[in-house]
Structure formats: structure tokens, C-alpha cells
Amino acid sequence: MRHLLVLGAGTAGTSCANRARKRLPADTWKITVVDADDVHMYQPGFLFLPFGIYSPAEIARPRKKFLRQGVDFIVGSVETVVPSQCEVKLASGVTLPYDYLVIATGTSPRPDQTPGMLGEEWRQSIHEFYSYDGAVALRDRLREWDGGRLVVHIVEMPIKCPVAPLEFAFLADSFFRQRGMRDRVELSFVTPLSGAFTKPISSELLGSMLDERKILLEPDFAIERIDAAPNRLVSYDEREVDFDLLVTVPLNMGADFVARAGLGDELNYVRVDPHTLQSSHYDNIFAIGDAAATPASKAGSVAHFAVDDLLDNMTAHMAGEPLPASFDGHANCYVEVGDGRAMLIDFNYEAEPLPGKYPIPKLGPFSLLRETRVNHWGKLAFRWMYWNMLLPGRRIPLPEHMSMAGKTLPEARKQEM
């Protein structure tokens, strides 16, 4: 009996294990998934918790519930991987052998990496929403906050769901307007990027949307530390941004065991070929989703679009054949903008987000780089698709590789070329 071991039972790991179970013969392949707990969080819901749009009960389910019959599940923390022996050692002392290993342990916020972030103001005037506990604490703080300087801040890229900080800023603007206190709130968006987003066309559009909502953009801000009393962000070039309430996105990092095993980069993301998702060092190790060191967006859609390419390559390697599939970094993300409207962006390693329709060219029903109510409904409907289709490994009728059909280059950009 051969053994496929998957580390991580989040979006990427669960989908990968379930689809692998359909492909690999049960009489010759054992599949095991390992995670530190049995609580699967719908992480896109963290954005909505602080504003009371979702309740905690709507975003948590048991991990084991979504794993197919024939997939074993072990609750345990990974201590390290020993690739030379094809073994994974758990903190409990248990050793798990493998023939093939998929690392899908995601990325996590690390507030400990920024001086001053975890001081006495943590969860008082300094908050984050990239964890369940953080989102709930921020919800409670927003309910009682009576105004002042609110700063939405990103420490460094890459981060999980790179549009989420912008979404938070837009939703905060809407939230305070609905409460009749927007005139008492000074909103700022502080980012290490040179603009509102990473891609030129969408960055320009999103930057104009910040302007329309009177949200100050502070670009190219490389934070050195956070000072308390008075509360302020301090950059390496000695700029300062004061705040009364800080909603920060801490440095995101991969799992510590990746570093201990010598498989990762400086942020503990697994070094892989960005197209095959095979480890740069060991040919029977693959990584998927946020855990992989690729230039793709760290978003759930990327994991979904990448699963079949990874499995095509892994099963070809098992058969001693050349790796056939080439993942293109396809990602699409809804961008919630408040007041029941959202945008949609669709891009990959090479192509930036462009206007158009998705998924059917010229028909949609979703609009790219446009604020619509249909996009907002699509974002809300995705939660059902996530629990009932994406995690169980059922086919979602969306193209895995990005298509340029139906997309148009803005006239201003055409004239620049």
C-alpha cells in the first residue's frame, strides 16, 4: 500500500485530498490528511464578522465532515518533515511515512514579527481580522467605538486575500455612514505598495474609489515599528501615521516546520516550480495554495484552480511520465465595496485584471472591474459553493486556466502602448 500524505485540511488540502481520492485506487493508495485541529473556518467570512454581516456560527464547521470516505484524518501538529527518509514527524512523537507529500498548511498572521504590535495596545487600539479571535474582538471594538482616526494597514506583501484590506476600508466607510458617524471618522489606507493594489489598471481604479470615499492613501510605507502613547506607525524612512484605532494586516508567514525542514523561503513558503507546483528540491513533494512560494495571489480561488494541475502532475510522476500540466496562477476575487455592491477581478501570473464579463464573455453574469449588486450576490453565494462544492472536490463550472475572452483593455491604456 502506497501513501499520499496531505499536510493541512484547509481549502487547498481538503480539495486536494478529496480529488485525489477519486483518482487514486483505494486498494493501492492510502490517503491521510493532518491538521492541528478539527475546526474548518470559512476564512472569507472573517472580513464580514467585524461588521455583523456574518455570525461566528456561519463560518465554522468540522474539518472531518468535508473529507471523503477513504480519506483518513489525524489531528496533530507537524514538528518537521524529513524528506530524505520520506517521513513527517508530529509534535506528539508520531512518525508518518509517505510516498508522496502535499504541503497545504497555508499562511498565518504573525504580529510578533513587527516591533510594538503585540504590546499593551494589542486588541485594545490595535486589531486584526485575519484570525477568528481577531475578527470577533474587532467586532466588539467597532460596536463601542465613537470615532477618531482609523488606519487600515498592511505590513508587507504577500498576504492572504490581498484585496481584503481594501474591502475592510470600503466596508468601514459604509458601516460608519450607516451609523451616522462617518463625519467623526478619519479613514486612512496605509500600504507598502506604490498604489492601492499590485496591478496597474486595478490599482488606479481602486485608488480612485478610495478618493471618492475620502479614504486617504499612504503608499510605499515600509513599517519599522509601532509606538504606543501616542499610537503611531513609524516607517523606515521616518514617516509617521497616528491612529486612534489600527486595523492592521500583520506579516503573513508559512508554517514554521517548513523552515525546520529546509523546504521554504525566508517567509516559510515552500519553494516550488510555479507551474508544476513540484518542490524545487524533492520530486515527491508538492505544495498548493497559500503554502506555496509562487507569484500567484494567496486566495482560495487559486487553490481551487490549481488542484487538478497538481494532481495531473503528481499522477504523471507516479507513472514515471513527464509532468504535463502548467498552472498559470489563475485567481479571481470579489471585492466588496459596501452598500450591497462588489467588484470582481480575474487575473493570473502574466495578465492583470481587466474590464469585461465573467465567466461567460459578453454575458457574465458578473462584471469585471465594475461595482454591481450582482457581484455582491455572487460573493455571498460563494459561501454555499465553498461548503458544498469546492471543499468536497466537486466540479465547479469555471475555467481553471484564465481566459482573455470577453476582456477589454481600457482606451487610456491602449493609447499608452
Side-chain angles (χ1 to χ4, degrees):
M1 181 74 74
R2 306 185 77 189
H3 191 193
L4 169 61
L5 183 59
V6 180
L7 303 182
T11 305
T14 301
S15 300
C16 185
N18 286 335
R19 293 204 190 185
R21 184 69 288 170
K22 292 194 290 185
R23 290 195 185 204
L24 300 177
D27 59 342
T28 56
W29 278 95
K30 177 182 180 181
I31 300 177
T32 302
V33 179
V34 178
D35 206 295
D37 58 53
D38 189 26
V39 181
H40 187 115
M41 291 289 184
Y42 176 61
Q43 294 188 50
F46 291 167
L47 170 70
F48 291 137
L49 275 179
F51 302 105
I53 299 170
Y54 282 170
S55 69
E58 291 178 290
I59 65 171
R61 301 284 189 277
R63 296 188 192 275
K64 188 173 177 58
K65 174 182 178 181
F66 296 97
L67 292 169
R68 284 180 174 271
Q69 184 176 0
V71 176
D72 296 330
F73 180 55
I74 295 175
V75 175
S77 298
V78 177
E79 180 64 27
T80 193
V81 177
V82 188
S84 60
Q85 300 177 33
C86 294
E87 291 179 344
V88 170
K89 297 184 182 297
L90 303 185
S92 63
V94 171
T95 296
L96 302 173
Y98 64 83
D99 293 284
Y100 282 83
L101 178 69
V102 175
I103 299 176
T105 40
T107 185
S108 300
R110 292 289 300 272
D112 59 302
Q113 298 295 304
T114 300
M117 189 172 287
L118 281 181
E120 61 185 19
E121 290 300 310
W122 183 246
R123 301 274 163 85
Q124 300 299 319
S125 62
I126 301 174
H127 288 261
E128 55 84 24
F129 64 94
Y130 269 53
S131 68
Y132 171 78
D133 290 343
V136 171
L138 181 54
R139 176 200 63 187
D140 296 342
R141 184 73 180 97
L142 287 178
R143 284 175 176 174
E144 64 181 21
W145 197 57
D146 59 2
R149 294 182 299 272
L150 191 158
V151 174
V152 182
H153 165 248
I154 304 169
V155 168
E156 186 55 278
M157 302 298 279
I159 59 172
K160 184 178 352 189
C161 192
V163 297
L166 281 163
E167 291 182 285
F168 187 93
F170 294 142
L171 287 172
D173 169 73
S174 176
F175 177 79
F176 292 126
R177 278 191 285 104
Q178 290 172 12
R179 296 185 69 188
M181 57 178 290
R182 181 63 177 89
D183 60 338
R184 302 203 307 272
V185 177
E186 180 183 320
L187 267 170
S188 297
F189 187 78
V190 180
T191 173
L193 300 174
S194 59
F197 195 55
T198 57
K199 309 287 186 176
I201 293 175
S202 54
S203 180
E204 183 178 346
L205 174 60
L206 290 162
S208 68
M209 291 168 61
L210 291 173
D211 286 342
E212 291 168 3
R213 290 161 173 80
K214 294 182 172 56
I215 301 173
L216 177 67
L217 174 64
E218 184 77 33
D220 298 311
F221 194 95
I223 187 169
E224 178 190 1
R225 68 184 188 275
I226 298 177
D227 288 341
N231 288 337
R232 63 171 53 123
L233 306 175
V234 182
S235 70
Y236 281 100
D237 62 6
E238 299 183 346
R239 280 182 288 162
E240 297 180 351
V241 175
D242 294 335
F243 64 86
D244 296 305
L245 179 61
L246 175 66
V247 179
T248 187
V249 180
L251 183 71
N252 277 209
M253 294 181 67
D256 288 342
F257 77 81
V258 172
R260 291 193 289 267
L263 295 170
D265 62 12
E266 65 278 2
L267 292 175
N268 299 348
Y269 298 124
V270 182
R271 295 186 186 275
V272 296
D273 181 292
H275 299 291
T276 66
L277 304 178
Q278 185 181 45
S279 166
S280 303
H281 303 293
Y282 299 94
D283 62 1
N284 65 338
I285 297 178
F286 291 76
I288 189 170
D290 296 352
T294 71
S297 178
K298 292 192 179 299
S301 63
V302 175
H304 164 69
F305 293 134
V307 165
D308 280 337
D309 281 338
L310 181 149
L311 291 175
D312 286 346
N313 288 326
M314 188 166 64
T315 53
H317 190 272
M318 292 171 179
E321 300 171 355
L323 277 56
S326 181
F327 178 56
D328 66 350
H330 187 197
N332 55 39
C333 303
Y334 290 101
V335 184
E336 196 72 14
V337 300
D339 302 316
R341 303 174 75 83
M343 285 199 322
L344 180 64
I345 55 177
D346 189 58
F347 57 102
N348 67 7
Y349 289 146
E350 303 296 333
E352 65 177 306
L354 294 171
K357 292 290 187 178
Y358 185 87
I360 303 172
K362 298 184 178 180
L363 295 178
F366 304 114
S367 299
L368 299 170
L369 288 183
R370 281 188 57 209
E371 302 176 37
T372 71
R373 294 195 179 278
V374 173
N375 288 342
H376 169 69
W377 297 334
K379 174 135 185 161
L380 297 183
F382 179 73
R383 183 164 58 97
W384 182 93
M385 293 179 64
Y386 182 86
W387 294 124
N388 294 280
M389 299 183 72
L390 193 151
L391 285 186
R394 298 188 176 97
R395 181 70 58 182
I396 297 177
L398 295 174
E400 293 168 3
H401 292 175
M402 199 194 84
S403 170
M404 293 298 291
K407 296 182 172 70
T408 58
L409 192 67
E411 286 299 323
R413 186 53 57 91
K414 289 179 183 178
Q415 295 171 7
E416 295 173 3
M417 298 177 65

